Structures are given as C-alpha cells and as structure tokens.
C-alpha cells in the first residue's frame, strides 16, 4: 500500500484478531483514522475492515519496513495488541526505538514484563485485568462497582426507583448516570429533573458517604470487591475453615462405598458382642469379680488388634471362652485389615481424582461456577476469591497451563466438558450462586450457556449467568433470543481503554448500564483547546462531568461541579459517558492532525 506519507494523524493497530478488531471498529465509528498491520490477517476480518474503509498492511508487525509502510512517521499512536506477548513486546520496543515521541500502548498479560516495559515509555494494558471486574460484579450482583477519582473513592451503585418522581426528589444532588426502564432504551446521563417510574433501575455515582446518606447503599464500607478487609475477611476465613472441614467429612462419606460400610458394620458388630460377652462372663481376680464395661471394651479392642499388653488374659478362663478368643483374634484381625484396606483405597482414589481434576464437589453451597480457564477466567477466579467467595472451575483442557495455579489456591477444578449434564451436576450447579462462561470460543460459550440454562430449570431467572461473547452483534442476538441478561465481550470492554490511551484519554473504569457500556475517564484541558472556557452544561447531552480538580488548587476535588462552571487550562476533568461521546469531547479539546474537527461538539451521535 502507500508509503509513509500516505497517512497522517492516524493510529496504527498491530494485530487484528481479538481486541484489535474491536479497537479498529471503535476508531472507525468515532471517525479516527486507523491503519492495521498484521502478519497473516484472516480473510474474513480483512474483508470486514475493508468495508470500514480501514487500510490494511499485511506483513511482519516486528519489521521496520512494515511499520514504515503503515505511516509510522505520521502516526499519533501505535497499539500493539497481538495475542502473543513476545510479538507485542518486540513491536512496542521497535516503535519506541524508531519514534521516541509517539504514544505506544501494548497488550501484555505478564505483569513482570509489563512493569519492565513501562520504564521504556510504553503504556501497558491487560485485557483480562480490564474486563474481569465487570464479570465479577455481574456474578456477585453487588450492584456496586468501585472506582478511584484523583485518589478519592467513588462508587457506581445501582438501585431501583421506589416510586414515580424526579431523580432530584429521590436522590438529591447525586449524579445520575443511567436509567434503565423495564421496557425501553437506556437513558444515559439524564438530568436530575428527569422523571422515573417505580421499578426503573437507576445508576448513580457518588462517594460512599453520599450514597449511604441517600439510602442507596446500607453502609459506606459494605462493598470491597477488590480489597481485603481484615475484619470481614477474618470472619470469612474462619467460616471457610468450617466449610472445608464439613466438606471433607461429606466428601469422605460420599466416597465410602458399600463394601466399606459392610466391613465397618461387621467390625462394630464383633466389638459390641464381644464386649458384652466379656462383661458378663470374664472372671477377674477370682470368682464373682466381673470386669467393668470400659475394661471389657478395652480388652476386646486389645484382642481384635492383637496388641496384647498382658494386663488381661484368657489363661484361667473356661475352655469355651478360650476358643471364643481364638476365633475373635482371627476374625477380628481379618475385619480390621479389610476395613483399613478399604479406607486406604478410598483415600488414594480420592487423591488421584483430585490430581486429575475430576473430584466431585460436595457440600458446597452458594459458590460461583467458572467455566473456561483462560487469562480472563483466571483473573475472574482470583477476584472472586479475594471477595471471599467459593469457586469451582470446569476446564476441558487437561494440559491448561493455569491448572497448577488454581490448585495452589485450593480452587477445585473439574477437567471435563461443561455441556454435559453430569459434569454440571458434579460441579453442584443446582446450588451455585452464579455461573460465568468464559472460554474463548463464542459457539462453545453459547452451547454451554444453553446447557446451564436447561439444568438450572426454575432457578434460571434468579441465578446470574454471565456469558462471554466476542461479537457484539451476536451478543445482542443472544441476549434478545435466549434471554441471557449478562452477556459480556471482554474485547469490547477493553477496547475503549486502548483507544483512550492512544488518543490521550485516561480511562479509569468501565461498567454496563443495561446494554450500554459506560466509561469513566480523566481529561486534562488543553490551553487554547476546544474546552477552554466551555461551561459544563455545554458538553454533549450523554456526557457528564463527575468531578473537577482545578489547576489553581490541586488539593480540592470539586464534586459535583456546577453546571455553570467553566473549564480552565490544565484542569483535570473526570467524565462519564459512552466511549464515542468521550472521544468526541477529547477531539473537541485537542483535534488530531488529519481528523476533522467537530464544530458542534455538543450533539450526540
């Protein structure tokens, strides 16, 4: 294709499959020019981006000639989002060597490598880390997602409108960011004078104290999904130990087969009968002296186990009792040997099942079932564990590299096909509190989700089932056709972070309001830019300023700012809205070369 002078002011995306496609799509929808570089672009994806009028350079992403052909000299940012960490690392370092002034963002899953490459001026983002909180929140149904704005803790909390009224009447000065009616479209960033009906779901953002004062949450400290609280988790840890002991006992009881029960019953029968025989017939210290019941029990066990301490003896007893003792020693030793052999067999079998990942999960109640152990699944499991929840994982690949990590954490893993009813039953689906289906295959996720729906039966409507679907259009169809409420695309969740980082928008958090994906981002006002002197209410209707830190006084965070307040140079503004609206605000503040300005700026797309 064209040389380095063909494009100016564009974003280079290295790596098309996965999150790369979603990044290109969002750049195209937002009017930001992009050029794609991929070693071997899949033909269907190549045709798709061609329809978006996005140029494609086929060639090694780690070659200087390829990047030059993609117009590196005129690019404003380069996103290295290859699926392979090594390829992304090499591309990022090459770009940084060729151009020291361009923004470089790399997708890396290895935290150690990520920390090292940051020293070279490369921004590092992890798709699994960015998308996992939304999955965890949907599983827990806490209704609250935590975020930090300029060092201060804020919460995005969902609540249900108790009656027909305006948002101002119900929630005062709290910032409403979305209203989701039972039927109809989501209202994003509605005004405080917007009327809502009883039963509408309202999402508000505020400090924990503000939300508690408005009775949106019960207690300012009640939600700590991403942090450990020593007091709360100390009690949770004790409860977990109790559950583990109970589960062990139940597991052993379930593992015991009929042969073990028969052997144990026979042994107990012999012990009871012999104890009674000795209690009433054994003469101790001469005629008329009988041993106590405790002594009789002790002598019986001593005889059966063939210990023979010498404190009791059958030497002076009647012949029939001596013959009885001989038979007792033989049969008792046999029963004891059989019993311990069966116990040993049970324990060894259970240990083998654990090592192979097929242990039956018993005694669990209210756990979260995670199906699929990729990087996203592993991150979700860790965050659920940090939140104090029990987790069971089902993974089809017995050679999955993450299995060892979960076993170190003590998380039960079943290596099997999760679409099979017996596998879901062994994972205790019937008493699970939530299910997250997170494999990397859309068809497998849909098939598994439908199997879960069938097995849940009457609990389908009350049990959260989070389904990972890559394609947004398929996700919408699955939601509408099959009734899955929580359908998540990890690529769609992560793509705005990459786009924002490329264009200078610092994305802080993402969450869903109904079907609408909302972003919380930080923007520093450019001196002489399009936001300089603009009043807050003049922003796009679907965008809201949550907080403002003035350049003149960085010690104060204005929350919420007044509608009449105006942006000043170097102010830090914390915004919320759909990603395309925030990108419009960003482009209005500092238009990129080669990108047409948006003179209106205040109209929604």
């Amino acid at each position: 294709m064209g040389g380095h002078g063909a494009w100016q002011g564009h974003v280079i995306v290295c790596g098309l499959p996965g999150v790369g496609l979603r990044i290109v799509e969002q750049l195209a929808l937002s009017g930001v020019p992009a050029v794609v570089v991929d070693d071997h672009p899949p033909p269907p994806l190549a045709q798709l981006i061609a329809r978006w009028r996005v140029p494609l350079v086929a060639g090694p992403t780690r070659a200087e000639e390829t990047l030059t052909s993609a117009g590196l000299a005129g690019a404003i940012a380069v996103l290295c989002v290859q699926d392979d960490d090594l390829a992304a690392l090499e591309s990022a370092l090459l770009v940084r060597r060729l151009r020291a002034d361009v923004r470089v963002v790399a997708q890396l899953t290895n935290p150690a490598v990520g920390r090292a490459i940051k020293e070279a001026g490369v921004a590092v983002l992890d798709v699994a880390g960015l998308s996992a909180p939304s999955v965890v929140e949907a599983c827990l149904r806490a209704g609250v997602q935590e975020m930090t704005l300029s060092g201060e803790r804020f919460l995005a909390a969902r609540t249900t409108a108790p009656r027909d009224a305006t948002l101002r009447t119900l929630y005062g000065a709290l910032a409403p960011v979305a209203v989701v009616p039972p039927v109809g479209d989501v209202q994003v960033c509605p005004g405080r004078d917007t009327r809502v009906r009883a039963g509408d779901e309202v999402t508000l953002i505020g400090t924990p104290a503000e939300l508690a004062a408005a009775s949106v949450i019960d207690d300012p400290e009640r939600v700590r999904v991403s942090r450990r609280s020593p007091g709360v988790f100390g009690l949770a840890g004790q409860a977990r130990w109790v559950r583990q002991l109970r589960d062990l006992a139940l597991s052993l009881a379930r593992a015991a087969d009929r042969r073990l029960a028969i052997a144990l019953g026979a042994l107990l029968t012999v012990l009871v009968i012999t104890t009674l025989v000795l209690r009433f017939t054994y003469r101790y210290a001469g005629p008329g002296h009988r041993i106590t019941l405790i002594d009789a029990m002790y002598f019986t066990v001593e005889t059966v186990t063939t210990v023979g301490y010498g404190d009791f003896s059958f030497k002076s007893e009647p012949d029939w009792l001596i013959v009885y003792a001989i038979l007792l020693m033989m049969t008792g030793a046999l029963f004891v040997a059989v019993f311990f052999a069966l116990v040993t067999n049970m324990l060894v079998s259970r240990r083998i099942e654990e090592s192979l990942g097929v242990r039956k999960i018993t005694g669990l109640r209210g756990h979260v079932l995670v199906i699929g152990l990729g990087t996203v699944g592993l991150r979700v499991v860790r965050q659920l564990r940090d939140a104090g929840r029990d987790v069971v994982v089902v993974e089809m690949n017995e050679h999955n590299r993450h299995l060892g990590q979960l076993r170190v954490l003590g998380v039960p893993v079943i290596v099997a096909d999760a679409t099979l009813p017996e596998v879901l039953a062994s994972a205790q689906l019937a008493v699970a509190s939530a299910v997250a289906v997170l494999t990397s295959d859309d068809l497998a996720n849909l098939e598994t989700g439908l199997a879960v729906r069938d097995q849940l039966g009457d609990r389908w409507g009350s049990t959260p089932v989070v389904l990972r679907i890559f394609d947004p259009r398929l996700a919408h169809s699955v939601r509408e056709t099959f009734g899955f409420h929580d359908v998540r695309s990890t690529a769609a969740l992560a793509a705005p972070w990459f786009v924002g980082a490329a264009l200078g928008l610092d994305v802080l958090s993402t969450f869903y309001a109904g079907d609408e994906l909302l972003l919380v981002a930080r923007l520093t006002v450019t001196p002489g830019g399009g936001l300089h002197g603009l009043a807050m209410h003049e922003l796009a209707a679907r965008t809201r300023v949550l907080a403002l830190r003035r350049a003149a006084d960085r010690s104060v965070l204005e929350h919420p700012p007044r509608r009449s307040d105006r942006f000043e140079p170097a102010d830090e503004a914390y915004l919320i809205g759909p990603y395309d609206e925030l990108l419009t605000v960003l482009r209005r503040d500092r238009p990129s070369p080669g990108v047409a300005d948006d003179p209106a700026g205040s109209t929604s797309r």
Side-chain angles (χ1 to χ4, degrees), residues 5-360:
W7 304 293
Q8 293 289 326
H10 59 289
V11 176
I12 298 177
V13 181
C14 297
L16 184 55
V19 71
L21 181 63
R22 297 280 78 86
I23 291 173
V24 174
E25 180 184 35
Q26 294 191 7
L27 288 171
L29 292 174
S30 303
V32 179
V35 176
V36 177
V37 177
D38 194 89
D39 294 24
H40 304 287
L45 301 187
Q47 295 173 7
L48 181 59
I49 66 170
R51 291 199 295 269
W52 297 340
R53 300 179 183 273
V54 175
L56 171 64
V57 177
T61 57
R62 292 165 279 184
E64 180 176 346
E65 296 78 9
T66 308
L67 294 173
T68 302
S69 298
L72 177 60
I76 61 173
V78 179
L79 305 180
C80 305
V81 291
Q82 298 97 318
D83 291 333
D84 180 23
D85 273 12
L86 180 59
L89 175 63
E90 290 188 52
S91 299
L93 293 177
L94 176 60
V95 171
R96 177 54 69 227
R97 180 172 63 83
L98 296 175
R99 274 196 62 187
D101 60 328
V102 71
R103 294 190 191 98
V104 184
V105 184
Q107 174 188 210
L108 294 174
T109 58
N110 189 303
V113 176
R115 287 190 295 270
I117 198 174
K118 285 180 181 179
E119 299 176 1
V122 176
V124 177
L125 296 176
D126 175 14
V127 172
L130 299 177
S131 55
S134 175
V135 176
V136 171
E137 193 274 335
C139 287
L140 299 182
R141 280 194 176 173
V144 178
Q145 189 163 327
E146 188 173 348
M147 64 190 71
T148 301
L149 306 184
S150 191
E152 296 191 23
R153 183 173 174 242
F154 284 74
L155 301 177
R158 292 198 306 267
T159 188
T160 302
R163 63 182 187 279
D164 294 358
T166 64
L167 292 172
R168 190 187 304 276
T169 301
L170 293 174
Y171 308 111
L174 281 175
V177 296
V179 174
V180 184
V183 179
D185 296 331
V186 179
Q187 299 181 56
V188 178
C189 297
R192 291 183 177 85
D193 293 322
T194 300
R195 291 193 64 83
V196 295
R197 295 182 176 274
D200 287 354
E201 181 185 277
V202 181
T203 302
L204 306 113
I205 291 184
T207 64
E210 291 170 343
L211 293 169
S215 299
V216 176
I217 62 175
D218 299 328
D219 187 281
E221 296 299 319
R222 77 179 183 91
V223 178
R224 289 262 183 194
V225 172
S226 61
R227 295 191 180 96
R228 287 187 180 270
S229 171
V232 173
F233 284 95
L235 295 176
Q238 295 174 10
R240 180 173 293 171
W241 275 107
V242 173
R243 289 197 304 272
Q244 288 176 348
L245 291 175
R246 180 199 65 191
D247 295 346
L248 176 61
L250 290 174
S251 179
L252 291 175
R254 183 171 179 175
D257 59 17
R258 188 164 176 247
R259 294 173 302 170
L260 182 61
I262 292 174
L264 179 61
L267 180 60
L268 290 176
T269 300
V270 170
L271 293 176
V272 170
I273 292 175
T274 302
T275 298
L276 295 176
V277 169
L278 294 179
R279 169 68 181 84
F280 295 107
T281 64
Y282 186 82
R283 294 176 296 181
Y284 180 66
H289 295 83
R290 306 295 182 187
I291 60 175
T292 65
L293 183 62
I294 295 297
D295 286 340
M297 187 181 302
Y298 168 76
F299 191 15
T300 300
V301 173
E302 183 183 51
T303 304
V304 166
T305 57
T306 66
V307 175
Y309 291 111
D311 42 3
F312 292 100
S313 172
F314 287 97
K315 182 178 180 180
S316 302
E317 300 304 310
D319 292 342
W320 71 267
L321 192 55
I322 295 175
V323 173
Y324 180 87
I326 294 172
L327 296 175
L328 175 65
M329 294 176 191
M330 297 176 62
T331 58
L334 176 63
F335 286 146
V336 169
V338 170
F339 174 72
F340 281 112
L342 291 174
V343 169
T344 302
N345 178 69
M346 179 190 69
L347 294 176
V348 171
S349 299
R350 185 174 181 272
R351 183 58 181 167
I352 292 175
E353 288 181 347
E354 285 181 346
S355 65
L356 294 177
V358 294
R359 188 187 77 180
K360 295 181 183 300

